Amino acid sequence: MVDRSSPPGGPQRPPLSAASLVLRLGGIAVVVAALAGAFAYVHGSFDPQRLTPKALVDVLEKNNGVHPGFRRNHAKGVCVIGHFESSGEARSYSVAQVFNEPRTPVVGRFALPAGSPYAPDSAVPIRSLALRFTQANGQQWRTGMNSMPVFPVGTPEAFYQLQQAQSPDPATGKPDPTKVPAFFASHPEAVPFLTWIKTAKPSASYATETYNSVNAFYLVDASGKKQAVRWSMTPLAQDAAGATAPEGSDFLEKDLVQRLAEGPLRFQLNITLANADDPVNDASKTWPAGRKMLNAGTLVLEKTQPQLSGECRDINYDPLVLPAGIQGSDDPLLAARSAGYADSYLRRTSEVSQLPTGKKEARP
């Protein structure tokens, strides 16, 4: 993956040392938790452990704190409004209107993958982009993407175990520093993620990141034929290599507002087609390079809105809200994300009535 954290031709930071990597892994739970959200199957339990959506969201709250009225993950963000312009290249693979009509309205949300709405923007090296496409027939496509190429683990159970490894020890109030390295040592599937995170650095802009679906889905054509895919939104900005993030708390939203004041931002929707033997049920596994890719169209972002009052505030970006022509794969993390997002949504919306006067606009 291209390092987007330094200007082209600029100085490159050396990879993290082993000691630095352990320290980063010690704090990576916030990143990983925010990436895929709280996990649990749609019907609320895992066999045989009976892992429920409540248990997953509870451990995230334990690790990140509770911020009433806010998302349990991706708590800090900004709404964006725009539209999608189809190129027509995906028409033969999917009957979804988003690929077959010239333009589809979009409500999105850039966010910092962290559990606190007050986290500094330089706290984590990942940025996220969630989108809701509303088709003319009323059907919606919702997707949550992140600026990482692969997820560290392939199952909700493993994700939960990682969160437990990050939980504070009651005796010290801090996580046991030996547990996260021990977790990764026992989960070799995490090697691609760990390889990536060694050189990942926070970027200075939402606009310069490539956002990946990570999970696999299916495009379905008019005859019912399915094609397994993953997708990404790639920036068309000239400075797409990005710059190293400055120190501070709130530079991402300021940068985005300034860029949009100068004109729309454009991202290309690239859809990668899987070969028959590529894994579609494990987000911890990458697909080999050289797979066929479609340029499905262009996302055009035109303006921002505050997350406390914008249109994205009350949207649950459930990745299994899909139109005819797009289907979820059997990746267990997809159904888990759907149930976990629902639990988080119910918690934050029910908390609004309990907030002090003057703060009832929360629910971002």
Side-chain angles (χ1 to χ4, degrees), residues 104-149:
T104 302
V106 172
V107 177
R109 185 175 185 268
F110 285 108
L112 184 71
S116 169
Y118 314 109
D121 290 349
S122 57
V124 293
I126 300 174
R127 281 72 174 100
S128 70
L129 173 60
L131 300 171
R132 184 192 68 183
F133 304 77
T134 302
Q135 299 180 159
N137 63 3
Q139 296 181 7
Q140 296 182 1
W141 174 24
R142 303 186 192 183
T143 179
M145 299 166 287
N146 295 272
S147 61
M148 61 186 292

Side-chain angles (χ1 to χ4, degrees), residues 123-270:
V124 293
I126 300 174
R127 281 72 174 100
S128 70
L129 173 60
L131 300 171
R132 184 192 68 183
F133 304 77
T134 302
Q135 299 180 159
N137 63 3
Q139 296 181 7
Q140 296 182 1
W141 174 24
R142 303 186 192 183
T143 179
M145 299 166 287
N146 295 272
S147 61
M148 61 186 292
V150 66
F151 197 67
V153 293
T155 68
E157 292 91 342
F159 173 81
Y160 182 66
Q161 293 165 10
L162 177 56
Q163 298 313 299
Q164 289 181 310
Q166 292 294 322
S167 293
D169 184 329
T172 65
K174 298 179 180 180
D176 182 336
T178 67
K179 288 188 176 181
V180 169
F183 172 87
F184 282 119
S186 65
H187 288 273
E189 74 273 19
V191 168
F193 172 81
L194 296 178
T195 300
W196 175 81
I197 203 67
K198 285 180 182 179
T199 56
K201 309 175 191 72
S203 68
S205 177
Y206 284 130
T208 60
E209 291 291 303
T210 292
Y211 298 92
N212 306 299
S213 68
V214 182
N215 302 109
F217 295 79
Y218 290 103
L219 299 185
V220 185
D221 68 14
S223 68
K225 180 180 178 181
K226 296 182 179 181
Q227 170 63 55
V229 300
R230 287 173 175 164
W231 53 71
S232 62
M233 284 288 182
T234 302
L236 299 181
Q238 291 184 353
D239 62 338
T244 302
E247 293 297 327
S249 298
D250 303 307
F251 55 83
L252 286 170
E253 183 172 349
K254 293 176 182 176
D255 171 84
L256 185 65
V257 171
Q258 180 178 349
R259 287 173 182 267
L260 286 173
E262 298 171 357
L265 295 175
R266 290 176 168 82
F267 292 77
Q268 182 171 299
L269 174 57
N270 294 318

Side-chain angles (χ1 to χ4, degrees), residues 12-146:
Q12 300 292 317
R13 295 181 181 178
L16 293 175
S17 67
S20 297
L21 177 58
V22 169
L23 290 175
R24 176 166 286 190
L25 292 179
I28 203 65
V30 171
V31 176
V32 177
L35 174 65
F39 293 139
Y41 283 119
V42 169
H43 295 297
S45 65
F46 295 115
D47 291 329
Q49 292 85 4
R50 295 288 297 175
L51 180 59
T52 65
K54 181 181 183 303
L56 266 296
V57 178
D58 283 350
V59 75
L60 292 176
E61 290 183 347
K62 181 179 181 180
N63 293 353
N64 301 324
V66 178
H67 304 278
F70 285 86
R71 284 173 164 87
R72 274 19 186 195
N73 293 288
H74 303 257
K76 182 180 184 180
V78 58
C79 299
V80 284
I81 305 298
H83 64 274
F84 177 74
E85 299 173 350
S86 174
S87 69
E89 284 193 23
R91 288 177 180 172
S92 61
Y93 293 91
S94 174
V95 297
Q97 282 189 347
V98 67
F99 302 127
N100 290 274
E101 296 293 333
R103 178 179 290 208
T104 302
V106 172
V107 177
R109 185 175 185 268
F110 285 108
L112 184 71
S116 169
Y118 314 109
D121 290 349
S122 57
V124 293
I126 300 174
R127 281 72 174 100
S128 70
L129 173 60
L131 300 171
R132 184 192 68 183
F133 304 77
T134 302
Q135 299 180 159
N137 63 3
Q139 296 181 7
Q140 296 182 1
W141 174 24
R142 303 186 192 183
T143 179
M145 299 166 287
N146 295 272

Side-chain angles (χ1 to χ4, degrees), residues 329-340:
S329 68
D330 59 353
D331 183 339
L333 295 182
L334 276 175
R337 289 174 64 184
S338 180

